[in-house]
Amino acid sequence: MLIRYGAVIDVSELQGPSIHIDDNCFLGDRLADGDIVMADTAEDTTAGKCVEIQHLMNHEVVAGLHTFPLRPIVPKSCGYWGQYLNSLRFRNQLFPLMQGTKVISLSRAAVSSVAVHYPSQPEQRLIGQFFKTLDSLIAAAERQEGLLKQKKQACLQLMFPQEGKTEPRLRFSAFNDTWKRIALASVLKINEERNNTSEFGFDRTISVSTMHFKPEGNGAAHASLETYRVLRVGDVAFEGNRHKEYPYGHVVINDIGDGLMSSRFRSFRPTRPICVPFWKYLLQNRYIMTPLLLRSTMRGTLMNELVVDDFLRQRIPMPSLHEQLKIGDFFEKLDRLVENAEGRIVQLRKMKSSYLQKLFI
């Protein structure tokens, strides 16, 4: 449970598991402001993860299973110990003391033998306040990322027609035409182009699941590259791995550049010019694609298999080209906002990691 929390917990805002303390069995284990709870067991080296307890007010809190409480016996300031005990400066002392293979554990005796370093109380206070500010910036960026992703999912649901409908519930004001329902076979054909002229090398191998280039290739022998399928911009590929969001596999469109894909994946090529950005988000739309793939896939041992004839018979909603361009542009801008928020989170976390090294000894 502790890995879900930051270095400092504000108990007054905490929403977590609770128990009723109706007798004195926990009386000696009740925590006070500034106490530390350390995880003594984990499945990996997150054993030793700590949280500092703050703002208990009238709450009665105890350390849970597979943890033990620590209480500073020196003058302390809010936030310092929670950050310090999670820094690599401190944790590097814990790693050699961890025991176990499948389950990693730390004993109280082992933790008690580790040296700690701390400055004066005013400096502790400044360090604690600095990391509190940094953690607030990270939390704000994470909230922004979450809200943008929620907005995208809501728009995917609202800006494309539901099953059996001819118009979406949310449209740009300039458009009111009925969407057509077209068979995939009227737009796509099976792509059988192979790399038999060695047009592309390992560096143009495409990961279909993430639609990114893998410069190092995927471990295949050099001679096998000629058997790989060529996936050009606008080509569509089916990836059959089952995920929570894509229980029947998912279909993606190549919007990153011409390259190669393993021949074990099915691929299709447009028979006429298409609006790639619109198709990208149409194929991402699980409200449309999940029932479509339910009707056109078979469950295999490791992944779903696409039944090509059934797939090409499926019908998808299609607006005018101008509306396709508008929808594609909207979602591309939204994705850029998500990427910026993700980049901000990565940047702030790197900054925090750097300061955890520099501000402690």
Side-chain angles (χ1 to χ4, degrees):
M1 283 293 294
L2 289 187
I3 63 173
R4 301 181 184 178
Y5 302 116
V8 180
I9 291 180
D10 184 338
V11 175
S12 66
E13 300 178 355
L14 180 64
Q15 293 183 346
S18 62
I19 59 173
H20 291 289
I21 302 177
D22 53 6
D23 55 39
N24 292 326
C25 64
F26 294 104
L27 195 57
D29 297 323
R30 292 180 183 178
L31 301 173
D33 275 349
D35 283 355
I36 310 295
V37 179
M38 175 180 283
D40 63 3
T41 304
E43 294 181 354
D44 52 30
T45 53
T46 54
K49 156 76 179 182
C50 294
V51 295
E52 179 179 334
I53 306 299
Q54 291 294 337
H55 302 137
L56 279 170
M57 298 182 181
N58 295 322
H59 297 282
E60 295 181 332
V61 180
V62 298
L65 294 173
H66 306 302
T67 68
F68 52 78
L70 305 171
R71 178 164 294 168
I73 58 174
V74 297
K76 62 183 185 295
S77 288
C78 175
Y80 174 82
W81 287 99
Q83 301 291 349
Y84 170 69
L85 295 177
N86 284 301
S87 71
L88 277 178
R89 297 289 189 188
F90 176 76
R91 288 184 57 76
N92 281 338
Q93 300 179 77
L94 294 183
F95 294 141
L97 306 176
M98 295 180 182
Q99 298 179 331
T101 52
K102 293 184 178 180
V103 176
I104 307 297
S105 63
L106 281 165
S107 69
R108 295 187 182 218
V111 173
S112 298
S113 69
V114 175
V116 294
H117 301 272
Y118 57 93
S120 65
Q121 198 169 358
E123 189 171 358
Q124 288 183 46
R125 185 178 303 111
L126 288 173
I127 291 172
Q129 289 172 348
F130 172 78
F131 281 112
K132 181 180 180 180
T133 300
L134 201 49
D135 283 343
S136 296
L137 291 173
I138 293 171
E142 289 173 339
R143 285 193 297 272
Q144 182 186 29
E145 178 198 23
L147 290 171
L148 287 168
K149 287 182 175 179
Q150 287 177 20
K151 179 179 179 179
K152 179 181 176 180
Q153 288 305 314
C155 289
L156 283 171
Q157 190 170 10
L158 294 171
M159 295 177 69
F160 291 87
Q162 293 179 297
E163 183 87 359
K165 302 293 184 180
T166 57
E167 292 185 17
R169 288 171 287 174
L170 180 65
R171 300 182 81 172
F172 294 104
S173 58
F175 304 101
N176 52 26
D177 295 339
T178 298
W179 288 37
K180 298 177 181 178
R181 296 195 69 83
I182 63 170
L184 287 171
S186 68
V187 189
L188 301 176
K189 66 177 181 179
I190 297 173
N191 171 27
E192 296 290 3
E193 184 183 4
R194 304 280 177 158
N195 191 41
N196 47 26
T197 62
S198 299
E199 179 181 356
F200 301 107
F202 283 119
D203 61 322
R204 301 297 289 185
T205 302
I206 294 174
S207 168
V208 175
S209 61
T210 60
M211 198 43 66
H212 286 90
F213 286 113
K214 299 176 66 177
E216 73 286 358
N218 58 9
H222 182 77
S224 68
L225 281 183
E226 293 184 0
T227 69
Y228 272 43
R229 295 187 197 278
V230 173
L231 197 70
R232 301 197 181 275
V233 171
D235 286 352
V236 169
F238 172 75
E239 197 268 325
N241 285 312
R242 295 183 285 269
H243 308 278
K244 182 178 180 181
E245 291 187 1
Y246 305 105
Y248 306 104
H250 69 296
V251 183
V252 295
I253 191 167
N254 180 7
D255 65 338
I256 62 172
D258 294 352
L260 299 175
M261 60 175 276
S262 171
S263 57
R264 65 192 176 93
F265 294 114
R266 282 289 187 180
S267 173
F268 303 88
R269 179 156 292 167
T271 56
R272 64 190 192 209
I274 63 172
C275 177
V276 172
F278 172 81
W279 275 75
K280 175 181 177 179
Y281 298 104
L282 171 70
L283 297 176
Q284 279 185 17
N285 193 322
R286 63 178 184 267
Y287 306 103
I288 293 173
M289 296 305 295
T290 296
L292 185 152
L293 290 175
L294 172 62
R295 296 188 293 264
S296 56
T297 56
M298 296 189 305
R299 189 176 181 88
T301 305
L302 298 176
M303 60 179 64
N304 279 28
E305 298 176 9
L306 189 70
V307 182
V308 172
D309 290 342
D310 289 346
F311 176 72
L312 292 175
R313 275 197 294 268
Q314 300 304 312
R315 293 184 173 272
I316 56 171
M318 192 64 55
S320 68
L321 178 59
H322 285 116
E323 191 168 2
Q324 290 179 46
L325 292 168
K326 192 77 172 177
I327 292 171
D329 181 64
F330 170 81
F331 280 106
E332 283 188 323
K333 288 177 179 176
L334 195 53
D335 267 354
R336 283 195 289 273
L337 291 175
V338 173
E339 289 171 6
N340 289 340
E342 291 172 341
R344 175 72 170 158
I345 293 168
V346 170
Q347 182 184 33
L348 287 168
R349 285 176 177 168
K350 285 182 178 178
M351 185 186 299
K352 180 177 179 180
S353 179
S354 175
Y355 280 116
L356 283 170
Q357 288 289 318
K358 294 176 180 177
L359 291 176
F360 299 117
I361 60 172

